[in-house]
Amino acid sequence: DAGVIQSPRHEVTEMGQEVTLRCKPISGHNSLFWYRQTMMRGLELLIYFNNNVPIDDSGMPEDRFSAKMPNASFSTLKIQPSEPRDSAVYFCASRGDRYYEQYFGPGTRLTVT
Amino acid sequence: LAKTTQPISMDSYEGQEVNITCSHNNIATNDYITWYQQFPSQGPRFIIQGYKTKVTNEVASLFIPADRKSSTLSLPRVSLSDTAVYYCLVGPQRGFQKLVFGTGTRLLVSP
């Protein structure tokens, strides 16, 4: 398996623009997680899905953020409108049967100017 | 997940053994101890989990004393490529559905 795939790897956009981050989990994994990492706040869980259903979105910063998982092999994290404080590395992770073992993607480095 | 305390940073040299200790005084009976590793510019990676005594795999060893209030991740003969941040997480198996990463320990291995 290729592991968790994220795209784009880098995104530079201007404040106010819509940003869409994409994730393809490992085949067969039934849980998917979105994290954000910054120097100031460390690694934060934004939202996670079990069997394509959002379970906990308490980490989503505000209404500008939304996440979807239309099927078992694809998820998106959208920011609209984007702001400079959204600049961070966004990771997607997926998990199979072992609760403690999540597999992280390479991340998307987002810069909002 | 239970609160954990670990050193912010550690320095070592190639070939040395590195031991990173994590304190978890409030660990519960059904809690497990899990360690993740994050290389620069990559996502975290699971490396080891244990409940008591000692666990060893191809990457590291995990030592857990009888009272389980702390644990030590041991990396034998580190190399430059072991430079990473190491996170200790403690919680019940199902609690790991929602990983909560602290600040971790930043290990720098020098030549």
Side-chain angles (χ1 to χ4, degrees):
Chain A
D1 200 313
V4 176
I5 299 172
Q6 291 186 248
S7 65
R9 294 294 309 278
H10 302 272
E11 177 81 32
V12 180
T13 190
E14 292 184 347
M15 183 174 62
Q17 296 298 306
E18 177 180 293
V19 174
T20 299
L21 311 181
R22 297 173 176 79
C23 175
K24 176 178 168 51
I26 293 173
S27 177
H29 283 188
N30 55 12
S31 296
L32 183 139
F33 306 79
W34 283 100
Y35 292 85
R36 176 173 68 175
Q37 187 169 36
T38 62
M39 288 294 292
M40 291 296 294
R41 300 176 67 89
L43 194 61
E44 306 172 279
L45 176 66
L46 300 177
I47 185 172
Y48 79 92
F49 297 82
N50 277 350
N51 297 316
N52 314 336
V53 177
I55 302 300
D56 186 341
D57 64 354
S58 60
M60 296 286 263
E62 48 199 273
D63 292 345
R64 298 184 298 106
F65 285 69
S66 63
K68 293 182 179 180
M69 191 165 186
N71 56 62
S73 59
F74 184 67
S75 176
T76 59
L77 178 67
K78 185 177 294 186
I79 308 172
Q80 166 63 18
S82 58
E83 297 182 4
R85 60 189 168 129
D86 301 330
S87 297
V89 179
Y90 290 81
F91 289 105
C92 175
S94 69
R95 177 181 65 78
D97 294 333
R98 292 195 289 192
Y99 285 103
Y100 52 86
E101 189 168 2
Q102 293 185 17
Y103 293 79
F104 283 75
T108 295
R109 181 173 295 278
L110 173 65
T111 302
V112 183
T113 60
Chain B
L1 301 184
K3 180 176 170 55
T4 60
T5 303
Q6 49 183 127
I8 293 175
S9 64
M10 295 182 67
D11 294 320
S12 183
Y13 294 97
E14 282 189 295
Q16 290 189 335
E17 178 183 75
V18 171
N19 296 308
I20 305 174
T21 297
C22 178
S23 297
H24 28 80
N25 291 319
N26 296 322
I27 190 168
T29 303
N30 59 343
D31 284 347
Y32 285 72
I33 300 154
T34 302
W35 287 80
Y36 274 72
Q37 172 190 55
Q38 184 175 20
F39 296 118
S41 301
Q42 293 186 28
R45 177 180 78 126
F46 166 83
I47 49 175
I48 200 165
Q49 184 188 66
Y51 182 81
K52 61 180 179 180
T53 62
K54 176 184 175 183
V55 180
T56 297
N57 62 22
E58 66 278 5
V59 176
S61 294
L62 180 59
F63 297 91
I64 306 168
D67 67 4
R68 304 200 326 123
K69 293 184 182 300
S70 68
S71 58
T72 299
L73 178 74
S74 181
L75 305 172
R77 298 180 297 283
V78 294
S79 63
L80 298 177
S81 62
D82 291 314
T83 292
V85 179
Y86 293 82
Y87 298 96
C88 169
L89 299 93
V90 174
Q93 289 288 46
R94 286 189 173 267
F96 288 117
Q97 288 202 75
K98 188 175 175 179
L99 296 180
V100 177
F101 290 84
T103 53
T105 297
R106 189 172 299 274
L107 172 66
L108 176 62
V109 181
S110 301

